[in-house]
């Protein structure tokens, strides 16, 4: 059965451009409830850990540099069928392929600076949520 939680973070480009509020509005209007949220910044080391699965990819170093370049807003979200529904709401990784009405279509600048992250499975949603939030911060 599909789980009811997912993890997201608004990335440095979108936060720096002042799009945090507009993105949160789209998330809430799509029926997601915010379970945990904060504004923080990753060091290069922490960004490297978060994206460790991509460490063999050519874009890894740039991604780590970019993800530690400014503030981010991580969140845990709740909704039925959360992981799949959220990936639909954010759109394709490459904004050139993102559908109209998606967050990336509206706010992403490039395949790297693509405004927002969304977990790709229930298992990763759990791991990624725990990377940023302790049990007492979730309610
Ligand atoms: P995200 O969904 O957070 O997961 C991995 C991130 O790597 C992706 O979003 C992009 O920000 C970044 N990235 C940069 N280049 C690529 C690429 N060629 N393919 C996939 N992801 C990329």
């Amino acid at each position: 059965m599909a789980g009811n939680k997912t993890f997201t973070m608004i990335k440095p480009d979108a936060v720096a451009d002042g799009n945090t509020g507009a993105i949160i509005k789209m998330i809430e209007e799509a029926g997601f409830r915010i379970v945990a949220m904060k504004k923080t910044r990753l060091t290069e080391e922490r960004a490297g850990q978060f994206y460790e699965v991509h460490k063999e990819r050519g874009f890894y170093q740039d991604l780590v540099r970019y993800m530690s370049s400014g503030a981010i807003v991580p969140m845990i979200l709740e909704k039925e069928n959360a992981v799949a529904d959220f990936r639909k709401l954010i759109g394709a990784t490459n904004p050139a392929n993102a559908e109209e009405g998606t967050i990336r279509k509206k706010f992403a600048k490039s395949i790297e600076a693509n405004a927002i992250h969304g977990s790709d499975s229930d298992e990763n949603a759990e791991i990624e949520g725990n990377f940023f939030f302790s049990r007492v911060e979730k309610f």
Side-chain angles (χ1 to χ4, degrees), residues 5-80:
K5 286 209 182 67
T6 192
F7 170 81
T8 183
M9 57 184 160
I10 304 175
K11 296 187 178 184
D13 59 299
V15 175
D17 289 348
N19 292 325
T20 302
I23 290 174
I24 290 173
K25 187 163 190 276
M26 285 179 76
I27 291 171
E28 289 192 314
E29 282 177 355
F32 292 86
R33 192 177 76 82
I34 298 169
V35 174
M37 175 170 73
K38 64 183 165 194
K39 186 171 185 177
T40 185
R41 184 171 175 167
L42 290 168
T43 60
E44 285 206 15
E45 189 185 359
R46 289 265 295 159
Q49 285 166 5
F50 186 86
Y51 279 114
E52 194 145 24
V53 291
H54 295 306
K55 79 168 177 286
E56 305 305 328
R57 311 283 293 271
F59 59 81
Y60 178 72
Q61 283 305 331
D62 284 344
L63 175 64
V64 166
R65 218 170 297 129
Y66 160 65
M67 285 304 300
S68 55
S69 67
I72 57 166
V73 178
M75 286 176 257
I76 294 173
L77 304 173
E78 190 171 66
K79 183 186 181 294
E80 221 175 88

Side-chain angles (χ1 to χ4, degrees), residues 11 51 54 57 59 63 66 87 93 104 111-114 116-118:
K11 296 187 178 184
Y51 279 114
H54 295 306
R57 311 283 293 271
F59 59 81
L63 175 64
Y66 160 65
R87 284 175 75 84
T93 305
R104 283 172 171 159
I111 192 166
E112 178 178 84
N114 63 357
I116 192 161
H117 168 81

